[in-house]
Amino acid sequence: MFSSLAEDVIAFAEASGTEVEFERVAVTSEQIATYNLPTAPPKATDRRSFPGTAGLRVAGAVG
């Protein structure tokens, strides 16, 4: 999804004579706790289990 969205935004920007740059970033589990960042609940169709997360996954967490 990120790539297709970035492509759409880049095409729009180029059509209007503007330049944009995207950079993927990530946060650590410690940063999520420190800054009280929101979590993303798993999709209803996701049947995998995520032990220790009380049914929640942290979106984009690293480490």
Side-chain angles (χ1 to χ4, degrees):
M1 185 171 126
F2 177 83
S3 295
S4 62
L5 178 61
E7 290 171 6
D8 290 345
V9 172
I10 290 169
F12 178 79
E14 288 174 348
S16 63
T18 306
E19 187 176 318
V20 293
E21 184 177 326
F22 289 90
E23 182 177 345
R24 280 187 179 257
V25 297
V27 296
T28 64
S29 296
E30 182 179 86
Q31 290 169 317
I32 291 166
T34 299
Y35 298 109
N36 196 28
L37 299 175
T39 59
K43 293 181 180 180
T45 57
D46 191 350
R47 299 295 177 222
R48 298 174 289 176
S49 75
F50 299 93
T53 59
L56 295 178
R57 285 185 291 160
V58 178
V62 176

